[in-house]
Amino acid sequence: MRLDATASGLFPIAPTPFTPDGRIDEASIDTLIARYLKAGATGITVLGIMGEAPKLEPEESLQLTTRFIAGMGDLPVIVGVSAPGLAAMRWLARAAMDRGAAGVMIAPPPSLRTDDQIIGYYRQAVEAIGTDIPFVVQDYPLTLTVQMTPKVIRQIVQDHPSCVMLKHEDWPGLEKISTLRGFETDGSMRPISILTGNGGLFLDFEMERGADGAMTGYAFPEMLADVVRLSKAGRRDEAHDLFDAHLPLLRYEQQQGVGLAVRKYVLMRRGFIASDAQRKPGLVLSATARAEVDYLLARLAARDSRALAAE
C-alpha cells in the first residue's frame, strides 16, 4: 500500500541486526518483524539513522528492505533513502518502491543552513526520485544540525503533493507540532501525518499536541503502541502512568553516541534480535553500562510485567 497523510499508530524504526562477524542476520529480521507485529505496529521504517544505513552496501540495503516488505505483508514499509548524492537516493527509492515499499524518508544533509537551501534541496530530491513516490520529511536538528522552521515545513508540504508525512524529532518541539496543526486549521497547509521520534522521549505530550503516532525505535515498542492508543482514546492518566514507568530507561537509551548500543542490548535481552552487534565502527557497552541497563530493566519489571521477558 502507498503511504498517505492518514498514516498513524506505531511505525518502529527497525535496527539492522548483524551477526557478531558483521553479516546481516536475516533470521533476526524475521524475529523483529514478528515481535513488532505482536506489539501492535501499524507500519515500519527501515534504513533510518538508527538502522546503520551508511554502513550497508547498496545491494545489502535493498536485500534488507525486500525482506522487511515481505514480512510486513499489507502493512506499509517506509525506506530511508537519504544519501550524499541524489543519484544514489533515486536508485534506492525507485528500487524499494518497485519491491513494494509504501514510501521513502528523506533527511536534509547537514550542510544546509538557510530556509531557501532547505526548500531547494527538497525540490531537487523530489525531482530526482520522482513526484509519484510518497515521501516523509525527517526533521532531526539535534543530529542533522539543520533547523527547519514550521514555515519551511509548510512550504515543502505545499510545494510537493507527494509529501505526506513529517517525522518530527525537534527538541524542544511541542510548539512546532501545535503550529503545524494550526496551519492545517487555518487552511494554509494541507493535512499531513505527523509521527514523532527522539526515542519516544516526549511521546506523552506529543500525542496531546496533535501527533498521529510514533516513529522511533525504543526497545519496548509495546509501550509506544499503548501510549498512542491510550492517548487517542482520551485515557490521559493511563497513558502518562505507563510512559512514566518507562522514562528512566527511555532517558538512558537516549544518550548521544551510545544509544544504539543500549537499544540493541535491550532488544537482544528481550529476544528481538540474536546479537547486539553493530557493524564497525560501533560502540560496545562496558560491563558497567550493561549492569546499569539490567538494573533499569529489573526496576521496570515491577511496573510493567513485559520487562520480565528480559530477565
Side-chain angles (χ1 to χ4, degrees), residues 232-245:
K232 288 185 175 184
R235 296 159 65 179
R236 187 184 195 192
D237 288 345
E238 292 177 67
H240 281 272
D241 286 345
L242 177 58
F243 179 85
D244 291 350

Side-chain angles (χ1 to χ4, degrees), residues 32 50 70 73 91 124 130 171 234 297:
L32 266 177
M50 298 298 280
W91 177 84
Q124 293 179 37
W171 180 351
L297 286 169

Side-chain angles (χ1 to χ4, degrees), residues 45-291:
T45 302
V46 300
L47 302 180
I49 291 175
M50 298 298 280
E52 300 179 74
K55 301 177 185 178
L56 301 179
E57 297 289 340
E59 295 76 12
E60 289 180 315
S61 297
L62 194 55
Q63 168 195 345
L64 179 142
T65 296
T66 302
R67 198 169 187 99
F68 271 103
I69 290 171
M72 292 297 291
D74 293 333
L75 295 180
V77 176
I78 299 172
V79 181
V81 297
S82 305
L86 295 181
M89 180 187 295
R90 174 182 170 79
W91 177 84
L92 181 55
R94 303 304 303 187
M97 295 301 293
D98 286 345
R99 283 158 177 77
V104 302
M105 183 165 66
I106 302 173
S111 60
L112 304 182
R113 286 293 175 267
T114 69
D115 292 352
D116 287 344
Q117 288 173 342
I118 297 167
I119 293 168
Y121 176 78
Y122 276 95
R123 181 177 63 251
Q124 293 179 37
V126 172
E127 290 171 354
I129 67 172
T131 58
D132 58 322
I133 295 182
F135 76 95
V136 180
V137 172
Q138 184 172 15
D139 180 20
Y140 194 9
L142 270 74
T143 292
L144 301 172
T145 73
V146 177
Q147 298 288 338
M148 283 194 269
T149 67
K151 290 183 178 180
V152 165
I153 294 169
R154 178 175 62 181
Q155 189 67 53
I156 294 169
V157 171
Q158 293 302 97
D159 287 349
H160 306 290
S162 55
C163 179
V164 297
M165 180 185 290
L166 171 69
K167 184 186 180 187
H168 170 278
E169 14 192 13
D170 205 346
W171 180 351
L174 295 174
E175 296 299 333
K176 179 179 282 189
I177 296 174
S178 294
T179 299
L180 291 170
R181 290 309 191 204
F183 289 159
E184 294 177 359
T185 299
D186 68 23
S188 64
M189 187 180 84
R190 60 181 173 80
I192 59 169
S193 172
I194 299 178
L195 301 186
T196 62
N198 276 321
L201 197 57
F202 306 100
L203 181 61
D204 52 347
F205 285 110
E206 286 168 339
M207 291 300 301
E208 295 179 10
R209 292 296 189 108
D212 295 295
M215 185 194 290
T216 190
Y218 176 56
F220 281 82
E222 307 96 318
M223 183 279 283
L224 300 173
D226 285 349
V227 168
V228 170
R229 175 180 55 82
L230 290 167
S231 296
K232 288 185 175 184
R235 296 159 65 179
R236 187 184 195 192
D237 288 345
E238 292 177 67
H240 281 272
D241 286 345
L242 177 58
F243 179 85
D244 291 350
H246 284 259
L247 190 53
L249 183 59
L250 275 172
R251 179 195 62 179
Y252 197 95
E253 189 190 89
Q254 195 64 17
Q255 295 176 87
Q256 290 293 315
V258 75
L260 178 59
V262 174
R263 180 173 297 172
K264 280 195 159 184
Y265 176 65
V266 176
L267 289 172
M268 179 185 68
R269 287 206 52 190
R270 302 196 67 211
F272 281 59
I273 55 179
S275 169
D276 62 349
Q278 298 178 53
R279 183 168 281 183
K280 297 178 181 178
L283 294 176
V284 177
L285 290 184
S286 67
T288 300
R290 289 186 178 223

